[in-house]
Amino acid sequence: MSATTPPRIGTDPAHGGRWTSLRAAGREWLWHREEPRRSGVRPGDAFADAGGLEECVPTVRGTPDHGDAWARPWQRAADGTESVDCPDFGLSRLVHAGGDGVVVDYRLTADPGYRFLWAAHALLDLAPGARIAIRNGAPTRFYPDGGADWTPCSWPSQPGRDGGLDRLGPDDGTAVGAIVDAAQVYVHDGAATLRLAVEAEGQPVSVALWRNLGGFPEQVPYRSIGVEPMLGRVFDLAAAGDGDAARVPDSGEVRWSLTVTAEAEMQTGTATPVQKGKGTRTWIC
């Protein structure tokens, strides 16, 4: 027996629009770490990895590091829309209820022909033994290190190693990435399941995985697991071939949506009401 629970999302518009909380199925899903640089970043700074979920656009790797939106203050309108203006584009999002979950509607405006990547760079707090479920056999680009080169494979295989990318074991000193040709992903951790799904008409969609089991960074490694719905099929916009990046049509805008649902075995109770958190955090149900 399982029960669905509407997720509750907390955001911090003043600090890059970062998602600071994703509560659903009786637990917090987002992982965090102490990163004193995060509160003071400026456009062009190296990425300050504090966890949570960062909006990475127009690239993930490359320049600017993790994109241009995460290091800029966002604005929140009376209707709940949160937005940011960057030199080459504008990005807005609106979180609203949708069935048993929440839907985040995005809109990017730029000159026609503008190419970009977007990733909901979600770092999740997952125990050893958690499992990432994507349709078996989905075409996958495996990134064995931090570079731009990748090897083709099929989900969940991991070239050169026993075991699949879908199983999250204990720390083994590895850090790899993958981009899977799929529109949705399920994350199973204990009795709880989180589902993330992205829709974008006429644009390439995928799911990226950052599987850092204590292999990054080299000097002081830590464990972090990124499960990232994307527009695009590469981490670095500079490496994008034909069809590997989203493209702004003649209308000057691209719209897409991210749906978040969760369920827990034997879960009971009622949904938590909308509330405002302390400081600049905004709670959205």
Side-chain angles (χ1 to χ4, degrees):
M1 179 179 176
S2 63
T4 57
T5 56
R8 190 176 64 158
I9 296 171
T11 66
D12 188 353
H15 298 93
R18 175 171 166 256
W19 298 27
T20 54
S21 180
L22 172 56
R23 293 201 61 85
R27 55 161 291 174
E28 173 61 56
W29 287 92
L30 295 181
W31 168 88
H32 301 87
R33 67 185 289 268
E34 290 296 324
E35 173 47 90
R37 293 188 301 115
R38 182 63 184 86
S39 62
V41 294
R42 297 290 184 269
D45 284 356
F47 186 56
D49 185 10
L53 185 154
E54 303 279 12
E55 304 282 1
C56 293
V57 58
T59 191
V60 183
R61 295 177 180 173
T63 304
D65 187 10
H66 282 68
D68 201 24
W70 72 273
R72 296 176 183 272
W74 292 45
Q75 303 299 318
R76 190 170 197 269
D79 67 352
T81 298
E82 296 176 340
S83 61
V84 62
D85 290 322
C86 297
D88 297 325
F89 64 91
L91 177 66
S92 65
R93 71 184 179 207
L94 177 64
V95 181
H96 59 90
D100 293 325
V102 294
V103 178
V104 189
D105 289 327
Y106 291 88
R107 177 175 179 262
L108 182 141
T109 57
D111 291 338
Y114 180 71
R115 300 172 78 231
F116 68 95
L117 307 174
W118 164 83
H121 188 275
L123 293 173
L124 303 183
D125 185 8
L126 303 176
R131 183 168 63 91
I132 310 299
I134 304 174
R135 61 182 175 88
N136 284 341
T140 300
R141 299 182 178 189
F142 175 71
Y143 291 77
D145 53 35
D149 294 335
W150 53 271
T151 299
C153 62
S154 297
W155 180 265
S157 64
Q158 183 177 185
R161 290 180 65 91
D162 295 332
L165 290 165
D166 57 330
R167 300 286 178 172
L168 302 178
D171 291 357
D172 60 10
T174 64
V176 300
I179 297 179
V180 188
D181 185 4
Q184 67 176 349
V185 56
Y186 292 84
V187 182
H188 303 288
D189 190 7
T193 297
L194 179 72
R195 174 182 175 266
L196 304 170
V198 60
E199 295 182 70
E201 184 177 356
Q203 304 292 347
V205 299
S206 58
V207 175
L209 173 67
W210 169 238
R211 190 172 182 271
N212 175 24
L213 302 181
F216 175 89
E218 184 177 347
Q219 294 78 14
V220 187
Y222 53 84
R223 180 187 181 94
S224 60
I225 308 299
V227 180
E228 310 170 24
M230 288 187 68
L231 298 190
R233 298 192 180 101
V234 291
F235 284 114
D236 189 344
L237 181 61
D242 291 342
D244 285 344
R247 182 183 293 272
V248 177
D250 291 343
S251 65
E253 68 173 29
V254 176
R255 294 179 180 266
W256 68 95
S257 64
L258 173 64
T259 300
V260 184
T261 57
E263 64 179 28
E265 294 298 320
M266 304 301 293
Q267 182 78 10
T268 60
T270 58
T272 304
V274 179
Q275 61 176 310
K276 293 290 183 69
K278 296 180 180 180
T280 57
R281 177 183 292 183
T282 301
W283 286 101
I284 307 168
C285 184

